[in-house]
Amino acid sequence: MSLREFLKNMEETGEVIHVRERVSPVFEIPAIMSFLLSKNAPIVFFDNVEGYDVKVVGNICATRKRLCMALGVMENELYRRIIDAMNNPEPPKIVDDSPVKDVIEEPKLSRIPILRHFERDPGPYITSAIVSARSPDGKIENVSIHRLLVLDDRRLAIRLVPRHLFKLWNMAKNSNRDLDVAIAIGVHPAVLLAAASSPPFGVSEYGVANRLLKGKLRLIECEKVEAFAPSESEIILEGKILREGEAPEGPFVDITGTYDAQRLQPIVEIVNIMHREDCFYQALLPGGLEHMLLMGLPREAAIYDAVSRVVPNVKAVNLSLGGCGWLHAIISIEKQTDGDAKNALLAAFAAHPSLKHAIIVDSDINVFNLEEVEWAIATRFQANEDLIIIQNIRGSTLDPSADMETGLTTKVGIDATRPLKTLKDKFEKASVPLTDRAAKIIDKIKTGQVSY
Ligand code: MN
């Protein structure tokens, strides 16, 4: 269950293109990746990277279709698979041998074609790596995705929001230790998706990934630190998040496409690097479709699950792209009583704490068609009755209009479902009756037999 195996399948399905011209990892690769997102977002290999003998591959999980193919599910089963994996993690087997041990060498990060993405970025950033660590007693493991700024050949600055890895780092600091970490680059999409999901502290995301991969994930133990990484990774950086010292991190373009603030953040010292003989580097464009999908999909599943607990029938959830795949949710439900939509709003905010604006619509509205959603707001919503405003609540630190230090924000919930107390007819989308004769004429126009 390796990334390269998945990429081979994708190559056969015609999802991959190759750029054979020489390109630089400084701005050029991200510029081409960004452009390709509007051209059906194919997976793109950069075969000739200036100054490196390592290839770069990007936009791997940039479409829902490909993520579904990676998990081997139909789109309508996707949430259930993710929820099932979060609820039933299976610890993966640990093996000794792995192709990632082909080459073991002294750390020299400048040998890896790490991209410089945006104009004001302070340096090259690793954006597709999973970081795993264990608690000092070895009982708790966490795997998560963090942006990593290259400081020099042996050091990275790591953005640690106060979540699970931050907690493990604090536990290590309290026992006067650095935190050992395995940083794996080039892992199967299921592992990335699991690392982007948020099961409770104490549940290892490797278990979630292994469940998603039907028990086929294998881990290896690192050589010089006490941490574990997928045995099929392309590159593994072994390191320690130092208990002391900080470095300026940022500004960095995150999921919103705006520059996140510069902050003092912990330092990772790399002590060992392993990679496959013919390894490639996985690039992930910050603020691009892949970023939104990987971060957003597990949250859509979590919202679907949470809203299902308060409303019997949830049809669909969309963390819309205009909302950065992160801050806006549109949820369609089948309402039983008039209070249901407001309970659904509260459940959605609780399930995804970064969520800022949420809209509930009836099941006749397609949540992926934003004109239909706007139509529902225009014709079924009255602000004095159907609007919830929650002030001074914890939201996303990535939103430039919120307090980016504390994350305090204002959340708005919109109940755009039609009131049940009023006759349904009033809110129905009207349609013109279609007679056989009219249908035949329309068909002729469609097939080009007549033109006007
Ligand atoms: Mn976790």
Side-chain angles (χ1 to χ4, degrees):
M1 273 302 150
S2 63
L3 176 60
R4 52 177 64 202
E5 210 174 304
F6 173 67
L7 290 173
K8 218 176 121 207
N9 290 340
M10 291 301 96
E11 193 101 46
E12 281 157 15
T13 350
E15 294 277 326
V16 180
I17 63 166
H18 289 261
V19 171
R20 299 205 163 83
E21 290 85 353
R22 181 175 303 165
V23 284
S24 166
V26 180
F27 303 137
E28 290 184 353
I29 289 177
I32 296 167
M33 282 172 67
S34 173
F35 168 75
L36 286 170
L37 292 180
S38 60
K39 297 281 172 198
N40 298 325
I43 296 171
V44 53
F45 263 98
F46 297 92
D47 293 342
N48 187 350
V49 182
E50 192 168 65
Y52 299 87
D53 50 13
V54 176
K55 291 179 185 180
V56 172
V57 60
N59 292 349
I60 295 172
C61 305
T63 67
R64 266 175 207 260
K65 183 179 125 197
R66 280 208 293 274
L67 264 168
C68 289
M69 289 194 282
L71 301 185
V73 291
M74 306 294 285
E75 206 167 321
N76 61 3
E77 302 161 16
L78 185 60
Y79 297 157
R80 255 165 295 182
R81 273 292 295 282
I82 295 173
I83 293 161
D84 164 76
M86 302 246 288
N87 292 337
N88 303 288
E90 289 174 17
K93 286 202 182 90
I94 293 165
V95 294
D96 290 329
D97 232 18
S98 152
V100 76
K101 291 187 177 181
D102 278 353
V103 183
I104 300 178
E105 59 191 17
E106 276 293 298
K108 199 172 179 197
L109 292 169
S110 56
R111 271 195 224 137
I112 306 169
I114 302 167
L115 309 192
R116 275 197 69 166
H117 303 93
F118 292 89
E119 206 176 358
R120 281 168 51 203
D121 285 359
Y125 261 99
I126 300 173
T127 52
S128 66
I130 58 159
V131 182
S132 72
R134 292 191 169 187
S135 56
D137 63 5
K139 285 186 182 148
I140 290 173
E141 184 175 59
N142 193 71
V143 189
S144 42
I145 300 175
H146 300 263
R147 62 194 206 217
L148 298 153
L149 169 64
V150 178
L151 299 173
D152 54 47
D153 263 341
R154 299 181 68 98
R155 294 182 318 141
L156 300 159
I158 183 168
R159 170 71 177 134
L160 280 188
V161 286
R163 287 203 285 253
H164 298 169
L165 184 63
F166 180 81
K167 198 164 166 177
L168 290 178
W169 178 57
N170 271 315
M171 287 162 81
K173 278 206 297 190
N174 290 339
S175 24
N176 253 323
R177 291 166 61 172
D178 300 325
L179 182 68
D180 286 6
V181 289
I183 300 171
I185 300 166
V187 297
H188 190 277
V191 181
L192 279 177
L193 199 63
S197 74
S198 230
F201 187 67
V203 174
S204 172
E205 287 79 3
Y206 280 146
V208 177
N210 192 35
R211 177 81 176 182
L212 284 175
L213 290 171
K214 303 192 171 116
K216 289 182 187 155
L217 180 67
R218 298 287 178 271
L219 301 180
I220 53 155
E221 189 168 6
C222 285
E223 301 273 309
K224 292 198 176 164
V225 299
E226 283 172 39
F228 294 81
S231 68
E232 298 279 3
S233 311
E234 292 296 320
I235 302 168
I236 295 172
L237 315 177
E238 301 185 15
K240 292 168 181 291
I241 306 183
L242 302 180
R243 55 185 182 271
E244 276 172 354
E246 289 172 313
E249 188 280 322
F252 176 81
V253 174
D254 214 296
I255 199 166
T256 52
T258 56
Y259 283 94
D260 192 10
Q262 188 181 71
R263 304 174 182 86
L264 286 173
Q265 290 291 293
I267 294 165
V268 189
E269 188 179 276
I270 305 301
V271 296
N272 192 37
I273 295 184
M274 311 192 249
H275 62 85
R276 290 176 184 249
E277 187 75 58
D278 58 343
C279 71
F280 52 78
Y281 177 78
Q282 183 183 358
L284 195 150
L285 188 71
L289 288 175
E290 183 175 24
H291 189 178
M292 293 185 197
L293 274 175
L294 281 173
M295 269 176 78
L297 264 182
R299 307 303 153 146
E300 282 182 0
I303 291 170
Y304 181 90
D305 193 35
V307 177
S308 298
R309 288 169 209 268
V310 295
V311 181
N313 211 338
V314 182
K315 194 174 167 207
V317 180
N318 178 17
L319 284 175
S320 58
L321 295 179
C324 319
W326 195 241
L327 300 176
H328 288 178
I330 304 146
I331 304 152
S332 57
I333 62 169
E334 226 148 286
K335 204 163 75 165
Q336 307 290 308
T337 67
D338 270 328
D340 280 351
K342 288 202 176 96
N343 280 344
L345 286 168
L346 295 179
F349 285 131
H352 175 31
S354 290
L355 185 61
K356 184 180 173 190
H357 299 147
I359 304 169
I360 311 290
V361 293
D362 295 302
S363 56
D364 63 329
I365 302 292
N366 175 2
V367 297
F368 293 98
N369 182 334
L370 298 184
E371 260 182 41
E372 269 188 46
V373 174
E374 189 183 353
W375 178 81
I377 295 173
T379 62
R380 297 178 180 181
F381 165 75
Q382 283 292 306
N384 66 328
E385 288 183 11
D386 302 326
L387 184 78
I388 305 176
I389 298 178
I390 310 166
Q391 295 181 60
N392 289 317
I393 181 169
R394 175 73 212 263
S396 171
T397 55
L398 298 172
D399 170 11
S401 78
D403 186 321
M404 290 175 87
E405 279 310 313
T406 62
L408 287 181
T409 193
T410 301
K411 303 198 178 194
V412 170
I414 291 174
D415 171 4
T417 58
R418 61 181 155 70
L420 293 176
K421 60 182 188 252
T422 319
L423 277 180
K424 194 177 171 183
D425 309 16
K426 207 179 157 190
F427 299 98
E428 225 172 67
K429 207 172 227 177
S431 60
V432 180
L434 191 62
T435 64
D436 283 352
R437 191 154 61 181
K440 270 183 199 154
I441 296 169
I442 290 170
D443 211 45
K444 275 187 185 167
I445 300 171
K446 269 192 196 158
T447 53
Q449 292 173 56
V450 287
S451 60
Y452 295 93

